[in-house]
Amino acid sequence: MSLPALIAFAGVLVAAVATGLLAGRAVRRPRPDTILWTAATLALTIALAAQSVGFASGFGAATFRAVQLFALMLAPLWLAWGLVEQGWPSEAARFGTRLVCGALTVVGSVILATDPLTAGSFGKAWPLAGPHYQAPSHYALDVVQAVAVILAVVSIGLAAARARNDGPWPGALLGTAVVGLAVFVTVGLRFSLPTRSAYPLLSAIAAVLAWYGATRLEPQPGRISRDAGIDIADDAADRPEARYEANGQSGPNGYGDPVNGGQRAPGDIRGPGGSGRWAETDRRPPQAPRTDWPRGGPAPVEPAPQAKPAALPYGRILIFTLLDDRVADFDRFAEQAAEEVRTREPGTLVYVIHVVPNAPLQRIFYEIYRDRAAFDSHENQPYIQRFVADRRACVLATNVIELRLKYARRASSRCRPGRTGGCRRPTAATAGSENGDCEPHHAARPAGLPSLRRRARGDRAGGR
């Protein structure tokens, strides 16, 4: 058996393995890009099988058509199409690409499969399209390959622009460039190469590049993959505290301070903390005396301020069920987003990420915003939109529970320095009002917004 035939046979095995790996991803996460890349590697597997037969016993009409159809037309088109589905932000552009690439797939396949061949004879040499195909097949190949190259180049440019403008997100630019290189390699099979062994070798390399690029484009976060900034060793990932660290917390209390050594009370708002802490730091901590009160004397009588209508707080709970092999990736992405929220969103009052001890594949987000406008601003931030896009590869199912203020009562009595427990930070019931600097301990909590402390105890008690 000749060397090109051996390389082609080995390439069949390599491409089949790549197809199987991508097919497993497509079954767990049936996304258009993963499905298209799986189909492209399958096409390369079929083309390599035809090459192994052709190099061993001579090419014929069937093996020639299989190589041209699957390796030179469908593989580059589907690889480039997958890049569009994965990285292009415009839904209209993706929809238009589906129409164009779908039409090219059907029309081009019909032409290459049915167009009569010329009378030229075949042998064990690589069969170029020129001597055997007529004009319609040449035009179909030229158009399809030109479209594939253009889509790949644009996709790489978009990934590079995103990395430059929004900061490097591990795997995005690299994965796009690798899959784009696979497109260029398959298109290169149309040219006359110095040795026959180069054709099956390039076909196998294209299959490997497609698989590798697909894995980079599903964050190792990456889209909270290990690249996202949480460095938890594999042998320590099972520790209970490690699961809280993965979400930006130091312990089951969820307040961001060490569990043993200086833990702060739930109402303590001294300075910024970890994810899920109150963002405002310009209010007095609980039990701190007011500077305008005379020492040892009664509190000055203050006129009751006129109540002003305030926008109601808005909250929600998101429950994510993660894929078992993407938990670390999701945690890394979530940590990045939570850090951005903490430093850039004064209107986000609470942004807490919980783990569920009895359900390690679940993550619960507890969010409260000053009002609906603050929530809309949060959703429009580029780092949140990036988080939403990146977590799709990590999430099996999502449940969203919206929280709206239904009823709240604020007690008429004022806080006094001698009162047991002092004052504490206002809840959602008093947020945004003039006289909401302190809240009596007996003030009712809004029925529609569960308390942060109650939620943290629920995580410890059983993951509810």
Side-chain angles (χ1 to χ4, degrees), residues 72 126 145 182-193 199 202:
L72 276 78
W126 177 259
Q145 291 181 346
V183 174
F184 304 147
V185 168
T186 53
V187 171
L189 296 174
R190 67 177 296 167
F191 301 108
S192 178
L193 301 179
Y199 294 100
L202 289 177

Side-chain angles (χ1 to χ4, degrees), residues 52-135:
S52 65
V53 174
F55 285 126
S57 57
F59 285 92
T63 52
F64 168 75
R65 290 183 188 274
V67 169
Q68 298 295 321
L69 175 61
F70 291 104
L72 276 78
M73 190 181 77
L74 294 182
L77 179 63
W78 290 345
L79 288 171
W81 187 358
L83 287 176
V84 173
E85 294 289 350
Q86 195 280 332
W88 286 28
S90 172
E91 179 63 30
R94 292 196 301 272
F95 179 75
T97 303
R98 292 167 193 162
L99 295 179
V100 172
C101 292
L104 290 176
T105 297
V106 175
V107 175
S109 299
V110 171
I111 292 175
L112 264 65
T114 61
D115 189 33
L117 303 179
T118 62
S121 61
F122 294 99
K124 293 186 178 181
W126 177 259
L128 294 173
H132 302 285
Y133 267 139
Q134 299 186 25

